[in-house]
């Protein structure tokens, strides 16, 4: 069998000392050595061509692909090249059949080994070059997680972010320079970590739940109105939990959905959508200043750090938002048709739009507005009555009936409806 022209070798922070015989042989037979400055410095004896990976990788990988036609090339990377590493990019550029991978234990493997905790049920989250948006929503259902950090999203910054969103129930293990003689592994409370000033840039942050009895919350939220309406003067206007549950189901949310919550009110629908789509983002649009403040308060209280409140009147306030996968219209302030026009035009093909209507006027307006978009909406009339105690008896307390309209944007739309 022909030897692969490119070998991608994982290297630990102990350099040559930690290489397997197979990895060391790959370096020894290479005519071209590729890697970051730190990795290349581990091999001062190498006399062939060196390519430094710095900044954009495009030009360097083009050079690797070119040289691989006639040379043995070795690419150095940290840990496992196919675990948040450069390995996938090399295979795509050169061709998987021309690349061999020699992994080293990843930093995450080493971190859990150092603290003596099994990690088959842990989730690895990378915030290297990524914003912290959605971290709390992702952690909501996790007992343990490993976080890959960078110079901006450092462990203390992450600890402060978690505390700001009420997520204090973790022990944080900061594992620095793993495999290096200067290796250090330290446990912190989040409060202590938030004020720490001596964390090495090369680190893995492991978060473990502190309460032995902790269990993940329900996958689908089903909270009573009091969870969102502690100080709303117009309590009757909040979306009731039964209607909220139906609306969220009709939105067809995915892990990474971008959602508009138009007329967010207290934020109840948008915040629960954010928790159901932790890899996505929800934009709550609200014109009332009191509602805006309440949305912010509720988002913090429920740890929904992928929910942003946009203060303004729709549809004008929608202009700067990214195109949505799903749109929920809970309030319109008299602009229902304009909101539907803009929302449906911006909705991604295959996306879902759900609108709630209470008054007969809004019912007619939503139905006609969706028909104008060339779709036949699904319509539900929801009547909910909850049992309420009355002396020694139970009676039903009927809520206002509400219409739920839902529609999907066709994958292919005509020019007049684009």
């Amino acid at each position: 069998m022909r030897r692969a022209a490119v070998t991608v070798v994982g290297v630990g922070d102990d350099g040559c000392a930690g290489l397997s015989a197979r990895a060391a042989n790959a370096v020894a037979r290479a005519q071209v050595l590729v890697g970051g400055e730190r990795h290349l410095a581990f091999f001062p004896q190498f006399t062939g061509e060196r390519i430094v990976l710095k900044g954009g990788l495009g030009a360097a990988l083009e050079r690797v692909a070119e040289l691989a036609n006639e040379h043995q090339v070795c690419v150095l990377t940290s840990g496992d090249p196919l675990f948040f590493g450069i390995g996938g990019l090399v295979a795509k550029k050169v061709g998987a059949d021309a690349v061999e991978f020699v992994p080293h234990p990843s930093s995450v493997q080493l971190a859990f080994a150092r603290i003596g905790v099994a990690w088959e049920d842990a989730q690895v989250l990378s915030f290297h070059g990524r914003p912290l948006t959605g971290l709390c929503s992702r952690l909501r259902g996790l007992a343990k997680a490993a976080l890959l950090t960078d110079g901006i999203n450092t462990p203390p910054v992450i600890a402060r972010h978690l505390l700001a969103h009420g997520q204090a129930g973790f022990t944080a293990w900061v594992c620095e320079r793993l495999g290096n003689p200067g290796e250090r592994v330290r446990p912190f409370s989040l409060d202590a970590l938030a004020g720490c000033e001596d964390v090495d840039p090369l680190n893995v942050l492991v978060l473990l739940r502190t309460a032995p009895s902790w269990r993940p919350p329900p996958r689908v939220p089903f909270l009573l109105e009091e969870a969102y309406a502690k100080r709303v003067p117009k309590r009757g206007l909040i979306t009731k939990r039964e209607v909220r549950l139906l609306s969220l189901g009709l939105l067809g949310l995915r892990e990474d959905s971008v959602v508009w919550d138009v007329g967010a009110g207290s934020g109840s629908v948008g915040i629960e959508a954010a928790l159901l789509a932790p890899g996505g983002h929800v934009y709550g649009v609200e014109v009332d200043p009191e509602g805006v403040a309440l949305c912010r308060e509720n988002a913090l209280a429920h740890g929904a750090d992928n929910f942003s409140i946009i203060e303004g009147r729709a549809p004008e306030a929608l202009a700067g938002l990214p195109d949505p996968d799903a749109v929920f219209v809970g309030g319109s302030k008299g602009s229902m048709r304009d909101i539907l026009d803009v929302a449906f035009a911006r909705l991604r093909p295959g996306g879902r739009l759900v609108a709630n209507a209470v008054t007969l006027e809004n019912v007619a307006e939503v139905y006609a507005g969706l028909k104008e978009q060339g779709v036949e909406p699904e319509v539900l009339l929801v009547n909910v009555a909850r049992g309420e105690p009355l002396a020694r008896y139970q009676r039903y307390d009927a809520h206002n009936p509400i219409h739920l309209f839902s529609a999907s944007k066709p994958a292919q739309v005509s020019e007049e409806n684009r």
Side-chain angles (χ1 to χ4, degrees), residues 361-375:
E361 290 78 9
N362 261 8
V363 168
E365 199 170 13
V366 173
Y367 184 71
L370 289 175
K371 291 284 283 185
E372 282 184 3
Q373 301 300 327
V375 296

Side-chain angles (χ1 to χ4, degrees), residues 352-363:
R352 297 279 292 167
L353 184 144
V354 175
N356 288 2
V358 177
T359 68
L360 292 176
E361 290 78 9
N362 261 8
V363 168

Side-chain angles (χ1 to χ4, degrees), residues 70-281:
E70 298 182 2
H71 300 78
Q72 286 293 315
V73 180
C74 181
V75 180
L76 305 174
T77 185
S78 295
D80 185 341
L82 295 172
F83 183 73
F84 292 101
I86 195 176
L89 293 175
V90 175
K92 184 176 181 180
K93 178 61 68 174
V94 179
D97 59 342
V99 182
E100 178 185 5
F101 295 96
V102 184
H104 186 276
S106 72
S107 58
V108 174
Q109 286 176 279
L110 293 174
F112 278 100
R114 297 300 189 263
I115 65 178
V117 173
W119 69 290
E120 68 272 3
D121 57 340
Q123 185 162 339
V124 181
L125 304 173
S126 176
F127 292 97
H128 190 86
R130 299 177 173 93
L132 291 178
T133 303
L135 169 59
C136 295
S137 293
R138 288 177 179 272
L139 289 176
R140 182 170 175 263
L142 301 179
K144 61 183 77 166
L147 276 60
L148 306 181
T149 70
D150 64 13
I152 297 174
N153 297 321
T154 64
V157 168
I158 291 170
R160 291 193 288 270
H161 179 84
L162 293 174
L163 291 170
H165 289 84
Q167 306 296 305
F170 291 96
T171 296
W173 287 86
V174 180
C175 307
E176 305 159 85
R177 299 198 70 87
L178 293 168
N180 186 280
E183 176 183 298
R184 182 168 59 174
V185 177
R186 296 179 287 171
F188 292 87
S189 68
L190 289 183
D191 285 314
L193 180 56
C196 185
E197 298 181 352
D198 66 340
V199 176
D200 191 274
L202 291 176
N203 68 77
V204 175
L205 175 62
V206 175
L207 298 176
L208 304 177
R209 292 281 178 182
T210 54
S213 60
W214 178 86
R215 295 182 65 196
R219 186 173 295 274
V220 179
F222 196 50
L223 298 171
L224 285 168
E225 292 73 57
E226 286 75 9
Y228 298 100
K230 295 176 182 177
R231 60 179 183 85
V232 176
K234 301 176 183 177
R235 291 175 64 88
L237 296 183
I238 188 171
T239 304
K240 298 296 188 289
R241 68 173 181 174
E242 296 84 1
V243 175
R244 199 185 318 139
L245 184 62
L246 285 169
S247 298
L248 290 166
L250 290 168
L251 283 170
L253 299 175
R254 294 179 172 82
E255 162 77 16
D256 60 351
S257 290
V258 174
V259 183
W260 292 355
D261 177 13
V262 183
S266 65
S268 61
V269 173
I271 289 169
E272 293 194 358
L275 298 178
L276 290 169
H281 203 96

Side-chain angles (χ1 to χ4, degrees), residues 16 34 57 86 119 135 160 169 196 238 266 283 289 294 310 319 325 327 333 364 374 396 399 403 411:
C16 299
V34 184
L57 298 176
I86 195 176
W119 69 290
L135 169 59
R160 291 193 288 270
C196 185
I238 188 171
S266 65
Y283 297 89
L294 188 59
I310 309 299
D325 300 294
V327 177
K333 296 291 185 182
Y396 282 115
H399 295 174
H403 285 77

Side-chain angles (χ1 to χ4, degrees), residues 256-258 322-326 343-352 409-410:
D256 60 351
S257 290
V258 174
D323 290 348
D325 300 294
F344 211 83
R346 296 278 306 280
L347 191 64
R348 292 173 180 167
R352 297 279 292 167
K409 184 171 183 177

